[in-house]
Amino acid sequence: MTDLPLPAGVGRRLDPSRPIPPADQPALINALLAAVRDRTDLVPEVGIVLGSGLGGLADDLEDVVAIPFADLPGWPAATAHGHIGRLLLGVLGGRPVVMLQGRFHLYEGNDPGLVVQPVLLFHALGARIVVLTNAAGGLDPSFGPGTLMVMNDHINLTGRTPLHGRNADELGPRFNDMTDAWSPRLRARLHAAAAAEDVPLAEGVYVGLTGPSYETPAEVRMLAGLGGHAVGMSTVLECIAARWVGLEVCGVSLVTNAGAGYTGEPLTHEEVMESGLVAGPRLARVIRRFLTDLGDD
């Protein structure tokens, strides 16, 4: 693959910690778009981000084109355990989709501008809806391992935003509204899809932290007191960027474990992955039905 034009001073393999202000995103996204269009002309209707342990949904894609992160200009290979690190384009539930099998996290040393580039690329490819999924710890004691929670709002406690710096007015406004960041329409469609598949769905507020340390018991109590129902290390920046460019957003958290202090047991990433293996197929059924029925409004 030939080198693609990038802003001055930015090499093909971008330093993942280098700040990416909004004003730099159009040129970077155009380079990514050209690289994808070298492989496929599919125009997705929906973009899907698959969180830890949830990558199995990718196995259901038809006519799939798979592009490793490392083959895309400026993207490093994924490093988080359970994140394969591929951009996938194909058909799922009868609809053209683009799917991120893995994601970039702040705790890997990535700048917020890099963390959100996948959802900006979804928009550039033609998607108008994004579905964000993640693995999360439960802040609500009634949410046992394996609970699927539709996100109806979020609290960004990362202290970061992808919108710091000079704005790119052609992509989105300087000050973007987040009142209905998590689309009421799409949340209703997720619940309808789950009911059709006989899969229970909870609903609640997701709290985003930087990680990679799990929360202390005192932090879990604080976050629950703030109104959170699940806590994780991703998603909030992606939602901010998606709304900035006008994407309609919905998402589901897979609660893999009770928050620290609820059970008296230590938390491990293996527990996250094991819960994903058990509950992932249920979430896959819901998303497939959601896509199939999406045009029935």
Side-chain angles (χ1 to χ4, degrees):
M1 184 183 299
T2 58
D3 284 341
L4 296 164
L6 295 172
V10 179
R12 180 172 169 77
R13 288 292 170 256
L14 181 69
D15 173 1
S17 66
R18 175 189 180 275
I20 304 175
D24 282 358
Q25 292 287 19
L28 295 167
I29 297 303
N30 285 339
L32 288 162
L33 179 62
V36 174
R37 288 296 175 229
D38 277 350
R39 309 280 189 101
T40 177
D41 59 2
L42 182 139
V43 176
E45 296 179 22
V46 179
I48 304 171
V49 178
L50 298 175
S52 295
L54 299 173
L57 186 65
D59 296 336
D60 297 333
L61 275 178
E62 301 172 4
D63 303 321
V64 62
V65 173
I67 308 173
F69 286 178
D71 286 355
L72 291 165
W75 283 15
T79 66
H81 183 55
H83 290 252
I84 293 177
R86 297 189 300 173
L87 186 75
L88 307 173
L89 294 99
V91 177
L92 183 66
R95 295 190 182 278
V97 301
V98 56
M99 188 178 292
L100 201 72
Q101 196 175 21
R103 55 163 41 105
F104 303 125
H105 301 83
L106 291 174
Y107 64 72
E108 296 170 285
N110 297 314
D111 181 76
L114 178 59
V115 169
V116 304
Q117 275 191 352
V119 296
L120 299 181
L121 177 58
F122 290 175
H123 177 262
L125 287 165
R128 292 296 174 261
I129 290 171
V130 63
V131 181
L132 302 174
T133 73
N134 57 57
L139 298 173
D140 186 326
S142 70
F143 288 2
T147 297
L148 298 177
M149 185 194 85
V150 175
M151 289 172 276
N152 60 23
D153 208 340
H154 73 243
I155 301 173
N156 179 14
L157 294 183
T158 68
R160 309 294 298 277
T161 173
L163 303 184
H164 271 168
R166 188 162 58 91
N167 194 51
D169 293 337
E170 64 270 42
L171 291 184
R174 171 76 284 186
F175 303 104
N176 63 316
D177 177 62
M178 297 291 287
T179 304
D180 283 322
W182 299 90
S183 166
R185 180 184 80 91
L186 296 183
R187 287 179 0 231
R189 299 305 303 167
L190 282 170
H191 282 291
E197 292 293 328
D198 196 26
V199 174
L201 281 188
E203 187 162 322
V205 176
Y206 177 86
V207 182
L209 303 179
T210 59
S213 298
Y214 292 118
E215 301 73 38
T216 68
E219 289 168 339
V220 166
R221 294 192 299 270
M222 176 193 72
L223 298 174
L226 289 175
H229 298 89
V231 58
M233 306 170 189
S234 66
T235 304
V236 292
L237 301 187
E238 294 159 335
C239 179
I240 290 168
R243 294 302 301 135
W244 177 55
V245 296
L247 287 166
E248 193 175 8
V249 180
C250 66
V252 180
S253 289
L254 164 56
V255 177
T256 58
N257 54 272
Y262 285 144
T263 67
E265 298 296 325
L267 305 180
T268 69
H269 193 66
E270 287 68 27
E271 185 178 9
V272 172
M273 300 304 297
E274 289 170 5
S275 292
L277 290 175
V278 173
R282 286 190 283 117
L283 179 56
R285 283 163 46 204
V286 172
I287 292 178
R288 280 196 301 270
R289 177 62 70 103
F290 169 81
L291 293 172
T292 300
D293 297 345
L294 196 54
D296 295 343
D297 290 312

